[in-house]
């Protein structure tokens, strides 16, 4: 039994693909494969049946920047604006502050692993020893601090656990225990491969190198050095148990330089080539090899009939132009499977084949969903989650649809992480289980601002963004400074299963330098949004007093149309923002005077270069009054009233404003 072990090493682990390429070219059989961290990813690809060429394409086309923030456009509008209002935001639960468990975007990594490994996990039924090449994955158990080897479980989650760099990615919860990067406890688990029964072990070591004196310049470099020293002491013991050790010369490449994948592939390939004589001296090459070692059953002259295909007809699956070049049954089966897989139907499975003298009958299952379930929601009502899911019992499992469901669930902003598992049933159908990890729902926010006229001001709030588990946000806030404000907001991003939302905002405004400029204000927005969450059309009711005694009110009703697909509200690099509103203040509504407010805002942003962005804003604010008597506190102020991120220099006040 020949086993191959792949170490961790971040981007340096890409060299493992070059190692596997060289072993394949010399027909070195691999009976067992295992790995840690990035090595676990490459090992899982190989065990799942991905070719070296497939892996190269994946590495080339994958965005490996885990520090990227989630796309703001996936959040609902009111949640999006609340998130962007202040410098500091801390969550709490049971009045205990809860700080983030990670700095990176774990959700993006999870979605990629789900896409790559859901099919393999389904076919092996969660037993990694039943994969095309038996597999084990090395992780670290946070609870007891020991190395843990997985040969069973949910393959995407286990690979995620082995790649979870502490602090950068959210720890992976498996069966009530958190796991992180296996490299912490054993970055090259050769002894584990020996325990699996391997007689000959080839180890590919892409572990980080120890830093030199010139590199040890700060606390970060010293911390990395200490971690590497601990890894090295364990690896030294492991290396003694390997028959062949391949050490690609990657010292000059950082473990974050994924862009140098071509160079890393080459380094791994040629380093393996330099050891090929030693390998061939102890390993007998497999010179007679074809795909999956399946029997070569010719299909010439036989009629092919497919059963169980409800999504695609026989004509679609067996297009003459595509199968003319196929000669054997296993090629036809792979062609049919690939047709489904490319369209997202990953659970296609050929369960039976009948062969007679003149025809071949292929029976398949397409991944019928029997039920959709939710797990992990201690507070959030199940219906609040399920209303985001557009995959239903009776549908066929489609990874593209599932990933959209996950994006919508994650876009509620109630969860740190969302993933799914597939549970096969005895009748050939499956249950889809969405697993959610809830955020603490208590929120404390704070911010500060300096304006040229009003001077410094500060903001602090406390709230809960999932009241009664129904997805409601309530927030109490205080604004300090020359202009004080005390208020409460209540918003619902989605009412029941509809695309309807609302906002109620009540506040007391107090100008400490002008006792005449104190008033109460109540505003209601209620409207609907499109399925993309980018456009919104709302009915607006606005009520404001002229003083604290509720005298001389201005009360109006109107419409607001909004579109926002900016990638960042403060410093956008791409996108468009447009807002148009009309509010009519009328005596019939209790207003002292009849007048109208009209507002237009238009902004766009696009990148000219990696470091240069063009941003433009234009605004038009107009009043239309029958008596030319606009209340003082209804004059337009162009300033970021609800954003506390620093200096505000572009304040404008007036009855009508044109601003660009």
């Amino acid at each position: 039994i020949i086993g191959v072990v792949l170490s961790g090493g971040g981007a340096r682990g890409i060299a493992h693909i070059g190692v596997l390429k060289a072993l394949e070219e010399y027909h070195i059989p691999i009976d067992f494969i295992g790995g840690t961290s990035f090595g676990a990813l490459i090992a899982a690809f190989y065990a799942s049946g991905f070719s070296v060429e497939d892996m190269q394409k994946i590495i080339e086309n994958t965005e490996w920047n885990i520090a990227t923030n989630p796309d703001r456009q996936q959040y609902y509008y009111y949640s999006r604006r609340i998130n962007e209002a202040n410098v500091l935001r801390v969550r709490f639960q049971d009045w205990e502050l809860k700080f983030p468990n990670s700095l990176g975007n774990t959700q993006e990594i999870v979605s990629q692993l789900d896409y790559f490994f859901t099919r393999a996990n389904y076919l092996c039924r969660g037993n990694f020893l039943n994969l095309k090449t038996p597999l084990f994955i090395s992780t670290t158990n946070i609870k007891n601090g020991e190395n843990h080897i997985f040969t069973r479980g949910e393959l995407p989650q286990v690979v995620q656990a082995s790649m979870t760099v502490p602090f950068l990615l959210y720890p992976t919860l498996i069966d009530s225990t958190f796991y992180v990067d296996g490299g912490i406890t054993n970055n090259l688990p050769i002894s584990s491969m020996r325990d699996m029964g391997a007689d000959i072990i080839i180890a590919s070591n892409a572990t980080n190198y120890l830093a030199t004196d010139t590199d040890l310049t700060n606390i970060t470099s010293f911390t990395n050095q200490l971690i590497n020293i601990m890894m090295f002491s364990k690896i030294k013991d492991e290396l003694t148990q390997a028959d062949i050790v391949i050490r690609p010369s990657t010292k000059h490449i950082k473990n974050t330089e994924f862009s140098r994948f071509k160079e890393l592939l080459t380094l791994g390939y040629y380093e393996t080539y330099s050891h090929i004589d030693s390998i061939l001296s102890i390993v007998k090459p497999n010179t007679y090899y074809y795909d999956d070692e399946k029997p070569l059953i010719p299909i010439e002259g036989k009629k092919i009939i497919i059963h169980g295909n409800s999504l695609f007809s026989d004509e679609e699956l067996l297009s003459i132009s595509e199968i003319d070049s196929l000669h054997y049954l296993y090629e036809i089966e792979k062609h049919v499977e690939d047709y489904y897989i490319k369209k997202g139907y990953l659970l296609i499975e050929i369960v039976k084949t009948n062969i007679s003298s003149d025809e071949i009958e292929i029976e398949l299952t397409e991944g019928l969903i029997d039920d959709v379930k939710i797990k992990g929601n201690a507070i959030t009502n199940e219906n609040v989650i399920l209303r985001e899911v557009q995959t239903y019992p009776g549908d066929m499992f489609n990874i593209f649809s599932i990933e959209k469901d996950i994006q919508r669930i994650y876009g509620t902003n109630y969860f740190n992480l969302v993933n799914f598992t597939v549970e096969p049933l005895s009748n050939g159908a499956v249950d889809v289980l969405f697993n959610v990890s809830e955020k603490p729902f208590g929120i404390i926010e704070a911010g500060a601002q300096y304006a040229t006229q009003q001077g410094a001001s500060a903001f602090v709030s406390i709230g809960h963004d999932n009241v009664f588990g129904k997805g409601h946000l309530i927030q109490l806030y205080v604004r300090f400074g020359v202009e004080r404000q005390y208020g409460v907001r209540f918003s619902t991003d989605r009412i029941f299963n509809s695309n309807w939302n609302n906002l109620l905002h009540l506040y007391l405004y107090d100008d400490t330098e002008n006792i005449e400029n104190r008033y109460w204000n109540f505003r209601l927005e209620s409207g609907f949004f499109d399925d993309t969450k980018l456009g919104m059309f709302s009915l607006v009711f606005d009520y404001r007093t002229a003083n604290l005694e509720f005298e001389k009110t201005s009360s109006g009703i109107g419409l607001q149309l909004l579109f926002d697909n900016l990638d960042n509200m403060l410093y956008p690099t791409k996108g468009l923002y447009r807002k148009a509103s009309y509010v009519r203040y009328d005596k019939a509504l209790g207003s002292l005077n009849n007048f109208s407010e009209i507002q237009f805002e238009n902004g766009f942003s696009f990148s000219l270069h990696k470091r240069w962005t063009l941003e433009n804003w234009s605004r038009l604010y107009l009043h239309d009054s029958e008596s030319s008597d606009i209340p003082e506190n209804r004059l337009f102020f162009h300033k970021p009233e609800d954003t506390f991120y620093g200096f505000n220099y572009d304040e404008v006040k007036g009855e009508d404003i044109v601003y660009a």
Side-chain angles (χ1 to χ4, degrees):
I1 298 176
I2 301 169
V4 172
V5 183
L6 310 178
S7 76
R12 294 188 180 109
I14 297 174
H16 297 318
I17 301 176
V19 173
L20 295 173
K21 180 179 180 181
L23 294 178
E24 279 194 353
E25 287 187 3
Y26 283 88
H27 305 291
I28 306 300
I30 299 176
D31 302 309
F32 214 123
I33 193 166
T36 297
S37 196
F38 205 86
L41 175 67
I42 303 303
F45 277 136
Y46 188 86
S48 300
F50 287 81
S51 67
V52 168
E53 290 73 22
D54 292 335
M55 288 185 256
Q56 288 180 232
K57 290 178 182 177
I58 290 170
I59 296 299
E60 183 176 359
N61 296 323
T62 299
E63 174 59 58
W64 296 101
N65 184 9
I66 62 174
T68 56
N69 292 320
D71 188 349
R72 70 182 289 270
Q73 299 167 13
Q74 67 183 309
Y75 296 118
Y76 286 102
Y77 178 73
Y78 292 121
S79 294
R80 190 190 313 167
R81 295 309 300 268
I82 291 294
N83 288 347
E84 297 166 340
N86 303 287
V87 176
L88 177 65
R89 172 179 252 231
V90 179
R91 290 184 174 268
F92 66 89
Q93 183 174 336
D94 298 329
W95 302 107
E96 179 182 349
L97 294 181
K98 301 288 184 179
F99 294 96
N101 290 328
S102 64
L103 301 175
N105 184 4
T106 307
Q107 186 64 50
E108 182 65 25
I109 298 293
V110 168
S111 296
Q112 291 173 349
L113 296 178
D114 284 340
Y115 176 76
F116 293 137
F117 298 119
T118 292
R119 174 169 174 78
N121 190 74
Y122 174 73
L123 294 179
C124 77
R125 300 303 193 262
N127 185 349
F128 307 161
L129 303 181
N130 291 335
L131 289 167
K132 182 178 180 181
T133 302
L135 167 74
F136 77 77
I137 291 176
S138 170
T139 66
T140 297
N141 182 322
I142 289 183
K143 187 176 181 179
N144 59 27
E146 296 179 357
N147 185 256
H148 184 89
I149 298 297
F150 280 94
T151 58
R152 290 178 177 271
E154 296 294 329
L155 183 56
Q157 290 184 18
V158 176
V159 174
Q160 175 198 341
S162 189
M163 295 178 64
T164 299
V165 180
F167 306 115
L168 288 181
L169 295 174
Y170 195 80
T172 305
L173 183 65
I174 301 175
D175 296 332
S176 303
T177 300
F178 283 106
Y179 295 88
V180 293
D181 198 322
I184 295 173
T185 49
N186 193 348
N187 202 41
L188 192 59
I190 298 170
S191 58
S192 298
M193 180 62 78
R194 191 69 71 186
D195 293 339
M196 296 294 169
D199 304 306
I200 299 173
I201 298 177
I202 300 171
S204 178
N205 184 12
T207 303
N208 296 340
Y209 291 79
L210 292 178
T212 62
D213 290 339
T214 56
D215 296 324
L216 298 172
T217 57
N218 52 49
I219 188 170
T220 302
S221 59
F222 277 103
T223 302
N224 288 335
Q225 184 80 335
L226 290 173
I227 294 173
N228 289 335
I229 289 171
M230 290 186 289
M231 285 186 181
F232 270 61
S233 63
K234 178 65 177 176
I235 288 176
K236 285 181 180 179
D237 296 333
E238 293 289 316
L239 289 173
T240 61
Q241 301 187 54
D243 298 282
I244 301 291
V245 177
I246 299 170
R247 179 65 155 154
S249 301
T250 60
K251 188 174 183 177
H252 61 292
I253 299 177
K254 297 179 181 178
N255 59 5
T256 56
E257 292 186 289
F258 291 95
S259 60
R260 302 176 70 173
F261 64 91
K262 290 183 179 178
E263 182 181 354
L264 286 161
L265 287 165
T266 302
L267 290 170
Y269 177 84
Y270 282 109
E271 185 63 27
T272 307
Y273 180 79
S274 69
H275 287 77
I276 205 66
D277 290 338
S278 299
I279 296 173
L280 291 174
S281 69
I282 58 175
V283 175
K284 182 179 179 181
N286 185 356
T287 57
Y288 183 68
Y289 174 84
Y290 55 88
D291 187 55
D292 268 346
E293 299 184 0
K294 293 182 178 180
L296 296 178
I297 301 174
I299 60 173
E300 186 177 357
K302 290 184 171 63
K303 180 181 180 181
I304 300 174
I305 303 171
I306 300 178
H307 301 291
N309 50 318
S310 64
L311 294 171
F312 309 109
S313 66
D314 287 16
E315 289 75 18
E316 291 176 287
L317 296 173
L318 302 173
S319 171
I320 294 176
S321 62
E322 295 183 7
I323 68 169
D324 268 353
S325 60
L326 307 181
H327 306 289
Y328 301 103
L329 176 59
Y330 82 90
E331 293 178 322
I332 288 289
E333 292 176 336
K334 187 177 186 305
H335 171 78
V336 171
E337 290 173 342
D338 288 346
Y339 191 94
Y340 274 87
I341 291 168
K342 287 178 182 178
K343 297 183 181 298
Y345 297 99
L346 300 186
L347 305 191
I348 164 68
E349 184 175 17
I350 295 176
V351 294
K352 189 177 180 181
T353 303
N354 293 320
I355 305 170
S356 65
S357 59
D358 58 350
E359 66 181 24
I360 297 175
E361 294 183 88
I362 299 174
E363 184 177 339
L364 55 81
T365 58
E366 299 175 309
L368 178 68
I369 297 174
D370 185 73
D371 198 7
V372 176
K373 303 175 181 179
I374 307 295
K375 182 181 179 182
N377 51 319
I379 295 176
T380 310
N381 190 286
E382 186 172 282
N383 291 332
V384 171
I385 304 172
L386 285 175
R387 71 188 181 189
E388 305 298 330
V389 176
Q390 295 182 12
T391 297
Y392 306 104
D395 291 347
M396 297 299 175
F397 179 95
N398 186 287
I399 188 63
F400 303 132
S401 298
I402 294 292
E403 288 302 328
K404 288 180 181 178
D405 292 334
I406 287 179
Q407 290 176 7
R408 283 188 289 266
I409 296 172
Y410 188 72
T412 61
N413 204 27
Y414 307 145
F415 309 107
N416 289 311
L417 201 63
V418 183
N419 61 19
F420 74 92
T421 55
V422 174
E423 299 178 345
L425 304 177
S426 59
N427 62 359
V430 299
D431 286 344
V432 176
L433 180 64
F434 289 98
N435 304 288
V436 298
S437 173
E438 290 181 323
K439 294 180 178 180
F441 294 117
I443 302 174
I444 296 175
E445 295 177 312
Q449 178 192 113
Y450 180 82
T452 51
Q453 294 184 8
Q454 282 76 22
S457 59
F459 177 95
V460 65
S461 74
I462 186 169
H464 194 287
D465 64 355
N466 195 2
V467 178
F468 305 124
K470 299 291 187 179
H472 307 309
L473 166 71
I474 188 167
Q475 180 189 48
L476 304 173
Y477 69 88
V478 178
R479 174 179 176 177
F480 305 97
V482 174
E483 297 177 344
R484 298 175 182 173
Q485 195 166 305
Y486 314 88
V488 58
R489 289 190 183 95
F490 179 86
S491 65
T492 302
D493 280 317
R494 192 171 183 184
I495 300 175
F496 301 114
N497 292 346
S498 70
N499 281 19
W500 202 269
N501 59 16
N502 61 37
L503 167 70
L504 287 81
H505 186 191
L506 172 66
Y507 65 87
L508 169 65
Y509 177 86
D510 180 12
D511 187 341
T512 59
E513 295 184 346
N514 182 4
I515 61 174
E516 299 296 327
N517 191 21
R518 297 175 177 175
Y519 57 84
W520 289 93
N521 195 100
F522 172 76
R523 183 177 177 88
L524 167 67
E525 296 180 9
S526 185
F528 64 89
F529 55 89
D530 64 4
D531 289 337
T532 66
K533 307 177 188 175
L534 302 179
M536 188 169 71
F537 182 74
S538 302
L539 177 69
V540 176
F541 174 76
D542 201 305
Y543 174 89
R544 181 176 295 177
T545 65
N547 51 45
L548 300 184
E549 283 72 38
F550 292 88
E551 298 176 356
K552 300 180 181 180
T553 62
S554 55
S555 180
I557 191 170
L559 300 173
Q560 178 176 276
L561 183 63
L562 184 143
F563 178 85
D564 173 15
N565 73 342
L566 294 175
D567 62 342
N568 185 296
M569 197 61 189
L570 291 173
Y571 306 107
T573 59
K574 62 180 180 179
L576 177 69
Y577 179 92
R578 284 179 177 169
K579 178 182 177 181
S581 69
Y582 173 85
V583 180
R584 173 65 178 176
Y585 297 90
D586 200 283
K587 294 179 180 179
L589 297 172
S591 185
L592 183 65
N593 300 315
N594 293 336
F595 64 96
S596 301
E597 276 185 1
I598 303 171
Q599 298 186 41
F600 294 101
E601 295 184 15
N602 183 77
F604 66 86
S605 180
F606 63 89
S607 296
L608 300 172
H609 188 264
K610 290 182 178 180
R611 297 184 179 181
W612 296 94
T613 298
L614 176 64
E615 181 181 358
N616 176 268
W617 286 89
S618 56
R619 298 174 174 90
L620 175 65
Y621 302 150
L622 301 173
H623 276 115
D624 178 22
S625 174
E626 298 174 1
S627 61
S628 299
D629 185 13
I630 306 298
E632 175 69 19
N633 63 16
R634 283 296 182 185
L635 295 179
F636 287 117
F637 284 82
H638 170 58
K639 62 179 181 179
E641 294 183 352
D642 297 324
T643 303
F644 289 81
Y645 266 97
F647 180 61
N648 168 35
Y649 59 87
D650 54 354
E651 181 174 319
V652 181
K653 178 181 178 180
E655 184 173 317
D656 299 317
I657 298 175
V658 177
Y659 183 92

